């Protein structure tokens, strides 16, 4: 018998991560609660807070108190355009525990080990350090050093971290926030940057996608901003309504 009934995998996707919260709220309303969670980048933030006992609405309120970029500070191009000082502060104030292994629900954060060039799936260690590393978007955010190893966004290699849950769950539900649609023109630097992340992370999700028992990919998310939480509630509702209307369950 598998150790866990339901595993939940949450992809990266910047501010589209608010859709994770809507999706989880809808799953809960359908009587589905994860017994173990794996996430990367935005999925690591949402997943770790769920694992700590927060409800989706409680997380939404916390994460929309300030504009998206207020969680970072300009870093004068020292290993990254921005640093993660404010993000660390927000996470430190939110978590009720300091170590990943002390969370209420078992949790894995996918990170990219820049020293080896490989993905790692961490379920022990300092919670703030690991989640910040998982969410450190390449080039924009300074990488995080943990025990002499340099880590960055797990989505760089594995944006749908199913791997650590394989063989452990009766059913694995995967949520992918990156859905590609044809774009005729790019009107801003932010839009162009977001598209580059989308293209790279969309294709690296393929490795274990066949291992997902249920794959949730709301197509309307491609219209939502990557680096702004101005449409956070709309993004949340897209995920929520998509699951409510689905026949997955």
């Amino acid at each position: 018998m598998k150790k866990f009934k339901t595993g939940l995998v949450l992809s990266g996707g910047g501010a589209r991560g608010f859709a994770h919260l809507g999706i989880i709220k809808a799953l809960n309303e359908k009587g589905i609660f994860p017994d173990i969670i794996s996430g990367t980048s935005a999925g690591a933030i949402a997943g770790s807070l769920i694992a700590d006992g927060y409800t989706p609405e409680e997380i939404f309120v916390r994460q929309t108190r300030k504009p998206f970029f207020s969680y970072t500070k300009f870093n004068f191009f020292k290993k990254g355009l921005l640093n993660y000082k404010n993000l660390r502060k927000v996470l430190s104030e939110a978590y009720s525990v300091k170590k990943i292994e002390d969370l209420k629900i078992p949790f894995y954060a996918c990170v990219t080990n820049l020293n080896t060039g490989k993905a790692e799936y961490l379920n022990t260690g300092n919670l703030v350090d690991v989640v910040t590393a998982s969410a450190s978007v390449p080039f924009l955010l300074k990488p995080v050093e943990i025990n002499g190893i340099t880590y960055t966004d797990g989505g760089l290699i594995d944006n749908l971290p199913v791997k650590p849950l394989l063989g452990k769950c009766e059913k694995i539900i995967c949520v992918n926030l990156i859905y590609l649609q044809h774009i005729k023109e790019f009107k801003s630097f932010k839009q162009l940057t977001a598209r580059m992340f989308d293209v790279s992370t969309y294709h690296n999700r393929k490795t274990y996608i066949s291992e997902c028992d249920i794959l949730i990919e709301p197509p309307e998310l491609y219209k939502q901003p990557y680096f702004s939480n101005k449409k956070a509630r709309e993004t949340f509702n897209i995920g929520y309504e998509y699951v409510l209307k689905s026949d997955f369950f």
Side-chain angles (χ1 to χ4, degrees), residues 111-120 150 156-157:
V111 294
T112 295
N113 181 326
L114 286 178
N115 297 89
T116 63
K118 297 179 180 180
E120 293 184 11
T150 302
L156 184 64
I157 295 179

Side-chain angles (χ1 to χ4, degrees), residues 8 10 17-18 20-21 24 34 37 39 41-64 71 87-97 100 103-109 127-128 131:
L8 180 64
L10 304 175
F18 289 107
H20 282 319
L21 304 178
I24 294 169
I37 302 170
S41 200
I45 294 175
S48 60
L49 289 167
I50 291 292
D52 198 27
Y54 285 94
T55 68
E57 286 288 354
E58 288 172 339
I59 298 170
F60 181 88
V61 171
R62 278 186 168 273
Q63 298 301 101
T64 55
Y71 295 110
L87 174 60
R88 288 185 59 89
K89 183 174 184 293
V90 169
L91 292 176
S92 296
E93 292 172 350
Y95 293 135
S96 67
V97 299
I100 298 177
L103 289 167
K104 294 178 176 67
I105 299 173
F107 172 73
Y108 286 87
L127 183 56
V128 172
V131 173

Side-chain angles (χ1 to χ4, degrees), residues 16-246:
R16 294 174 197 160
F18 289 107
H20 282 319
L21 304 178
I23 287 166
I24 294 169
K25 180 179 179 179
L27 289 173
N28 292 167
E29 290 180 5
K30 288 176 175 280
I32 300 168
F33 295 84
D35 301 298
I36 185 170
I37 302 170
S38 176
T40 191
S41 200
I45 294 175
S48 60
L49 289 167
I50 291 292
D52 198 27
Y54 285 94
T55 68
E57 286 288 354
E58 288 172 339
I59 298 170
F60 181 88
V61 171
R62 278 186 168 273
Q63 298 301 101
T64 55
R65 287 174 179 168
K66 299 178 181 179
F68 186 83
F69 277 109
S70 67
Y71 295 110
T72 61
K73 285 189 174 182
F74 191 65
N75 198 49
F76 300 102
F77 298 96
K78 296 178 181 179
K79 297 185 180 180
L81 181 61
L82 305 167
N83 70 41
Y84 39 74
K85 184 176 180 179
N86 286 355
L87 174 60
R88 288 185 59 89
K89 183 174 184 293
V90 169
L91 292 176
S92 296
E93 292 172 350
Y95 293 135
S96 67
V97 299
K98 292 185 177 181
K99 295 183 178 181
I100 298 177
E101 54 265 41
D102 293 331
L103 289 167
K104 294 178 176 67
I105 299 173
F107 172 73
Y108 286 87
C110 176
V111 294
T112 295
N113 181 326
L114 286 178
N115 297 89
T116 63
K118 297 179 180 180
E120 293 184 11
Y121 308 90
L122 306 180
N123 67 340
T124 61
N126 184 282
L127 183 56
V128 172
D129 287 347
V130 172
V131 173
T132 302
S134 182
S136 294
V137 180
F139 304 113
L140 288 182
L141 280 169
K142 177 184 176 182
V144 178
E145 289 193 11
I146 303 174
N147 298 325
I149 299 173
T150 302
Y151 292 104
T152 192
D153 196 318
L156 184 64
I157 295 179
D158 186 356
N159 202 47
L160 197 65
V162 184
K163 187 176 179 180
L165 304 193
L166 296 180
K168 296 183 175 73
C169 308
E170 294 177 18
K171 180 179 293 184
I172 298 178
I173 300 172
C174 299
V175 182
N176 175 47
L177 303 181
I178 309 301
Y179 191 94
L180 292 184
Q181 290 275 9
H182 176 76
I183 296 179
K184 187 175 182 180
E185 62 178 332
F186 300 97
K187 299 180 179 180
S188 69
F189 175 74
K190 284 201 297 185
Q191 185 188 24
L192 182 62
T193 303
R195 181 62 170 185
M196 288 190 284
F197 286 129
D198 279 355
V199 171
S200 63
T201 56
Y202 180 81
H203 291 288
N204 76 29
R205 90 201 200 295
K206 293 180 179 179
T207 305
Y208 293 103
I209 202 168
S210 62
E211 303 289 348
C212 300
D213 295 297
I214 296 173
L215 178 63
I216 299 173
E217 285 185 316
E220 291 182 31
L221 286 178
Y222 88 94
K223 300 176 184 177
Q224 301 306 107
Y226 205 102
F227 300 116
S228 171
N229 60 9
K230 291 181 179 179
K231 293 187 177 182
R233 179 55 73 177
E234 180 180 320
T235 303
F236 181 105
N237 288 338
I238 287 174
Y240 177 73
E241 292 168 7
Y242 183 81
V243 172
L244 283 188
K245 295 175 182 177
S246 73

